Amino acid sequence: MALPLIIDTDPGQDDCIAILLALASPELEVLGLTTVAGNVAAPLTARNALRICELAKRSDVPVFAGCERPLLNQPYYSPEIHGESGLDGAHLPEPRMKLQPQHAVDWLVETLMARGDRATVIAAIAPLTNIAMALRREPKIANKIAKLVVMGGSLRAGGNMTPAAEFNVFVDPHAAEIVFASGIEIALFPLDVTWKIRARQEHVDRLRASKSAAARTVADLMDFYLGTEAMAEGGLGAPLHDACTIAWLLDPTLFRGSRLAIKVETGSPLTIGMTVPDWRGLWGGPANVEAFEDADAPRIFDLLIERLGRL
């Protein structure tokens, strides 16, 4: 039976690749996409989610627009990485699909409460504003989530926004604090592992050789992403941060990690957004996160390219 999945997202090229991987995989039943401000402003993330569904020929997947700004901080975007649209690099037509009228937070609460306990997985590949707001609206949804698969944070690797903080957590650290303290089982894909899954020209070439129009479109997106990330990362390749969450759901043997207690820093101007792991158990509480640090990158790219070739 397919695993019921909600994807909370802020597309973004790497979000696009993650969503397409999920939509190409029969092991996953994508119940809907919820969008939030992050890589670009909220109207653009919602528009991009619609465009991605249409690229995958999956107009049956509903898209719900969510929070337009972080809980407390001012919005922060990353056009220098993803372009002004969030999906620069490929020609994607204006969507014919329409957004659902319901707010993403309301839909999350309604959908989760209507399902059984621990019956639904959420892949959270964006700032955690929608998830935190849903938990504030109805704390009982914590028992309805089987696993929250999060791309965010950093354990040992340092940040990509500040020396301490990764983008998704930095953008809304107060939301992340709520989510990490919620008691939900979290599988975390921090920069420590996602920086090891780097697309290079060979991967672009394999995608461009596909018979799938969606795969060839991803090749165009990767070309742009390689250019911007080359400037940011010194030419090491473009990390496919968000796709790690979906790849793990499809094949957990691709990743290696350990269970930890992790808290989020919200008070210090110097380290706000830092995810602080308790390596030695000094807090005395239970581990709340399965955090991954290593992965089999060649197998991940083989999986990705094979699945996108199906679309």
Side-chain angles (χ1 to χ4, degrees):
M1 188 173 68
L3 184 70
L5 175 67
I6 294 168
I7 302 176
D8 189 63
T9 179
D10 62 338
Q13 281 96 348
D14 57 326
D15 299 73
C16 176
I17 294 165
I19 294 164
L20 291 174
L21 178 58
L23 295 177
S25 299
E27 302 95 324
L28 305 175
E29 179 192 4
V30 180
L31 303 178
L33 306 182
T34 54
T35 65
V36 67
N39 287 319
V40 288
L44 290 175
T45 62
R47 169 177 172 258
N48 288 345
L50 296 172
R51 296 162 82 196
I52 294 164
C53 289
E54 289 191 354
L55 176 63
K57 300 182 176 63
R58 291 295 305 273
S59 58
D60 58 303
V61 176
V63 177
F64 300 83
C67 297
E68 297 187 353
R69 54 165 297 147
L71 296 185
L72 298 177
N73 291 355
Q74 292 298 313
Y76 188 96
Y77 310 124
S78 59
E80 71 282 359
I81 299 296
H82 300 279
E84 294 296 331
S85 74
L87 292 179
D88 281 16
H91 174 69
L92 291 171
E94 287 299 312
R96 291 169 292 177
M97 285 176 64
K98 302 297 183 186
L99 287 170
Q100 300 296 309
Q102 195 172 19
H103 192 280
V105 172
D106 295 330
W107 180 78
L108 281 167
V109 171
E110 179 182 294
T111 301
L112 291 168
M113 290 303 295
R115 299 176 61 82
D117 287 353
R118 293 173 175 80
T120 309
V121 172
I122 298 178
I125 55 177
L128 290 165
T129 317
N130 283 341
I131 310 301
M133 285 293 291
L135 284 164
R136 281 291 191 253
R137 182 79 53 85
E138 178 48 85
K140 292 178 182 177
I141 67 168
N143 292 324
K144 302 292 185 176
I145 300 170
K147 186 81 74 172
L148 184 63
V149 189
V150 176
M151 189 278 126
S154 176
L155 305 180
R156 311 175 201 260
N160 59 358
M161 292 304 301
T162 72
E166 174 275 334
F167 178 85
N168 283 342
V169 180
F170 175 81
V171 167
D172 199 341
H174 303 93
E177 180 184 40
I178 290 168
V179 172
F180 276 73
S182 67
I184 299 169
E185 282 289 320
I186 295 173
L188 184 69
F189 293 82
L191 294 176
D192 307 72
V193 68
T194 66
W195 267 339
K196 296 176 181 178
I197 315 304
R198 291 182 180 271
R200 295 180 172 84
Q201 191 59 48
E202 64 186 275
H203 305 116
V204 174
D205 294 342
R206 288 172 65 187
L207 286 164
R208 187 158 286 125
S210 174
K211 296 180 180 178
S212 161
R216 295 194 301 271
T217 300
V218 169
D220 293 339
L221 291 170
M222 274 192 184
D223 257 345
F224 179 88
Y225 194 39
L226 275 168
T228 58
E229 284 287 356
M231 291 185 287
E233 299 289 339
L236 297 175
L240 299 189
H241 304 289
D242 296 334
C244 291
T245 61
I246 306 301
W248 178 76
L249 289 171
L250 296 173
D251 185 354
T253 69
L254 294 169
F255 297 88
R256 292 172 293 281
S258 57
R259 293 192 60 80
L260 292 166
I262 294 179
K263 295 182 181 181
V264 179
E265 175 60 53
T266 60
S268 165
L270 188 64
T271 58
I272 189 166
M274 183 178 183
T275 43
V276 183
D278 183 10
W279 296 109
R280 299 173 63 190
L282 298 177
W283 290 327
N288 61 332
V289 175
E290 184 177 8
F292 296 95
E293 293 189 84
D294 205 3
D296 190 332
R299 287 175 59 207
I300 291 168
F301 278 105
D302 286 345
L303 172 67
L304 174 68
I305 293 166
E306 187 274 328
R307 290 301 172 93
L308 294 186
R310 298 180 181 186
L311 291 173

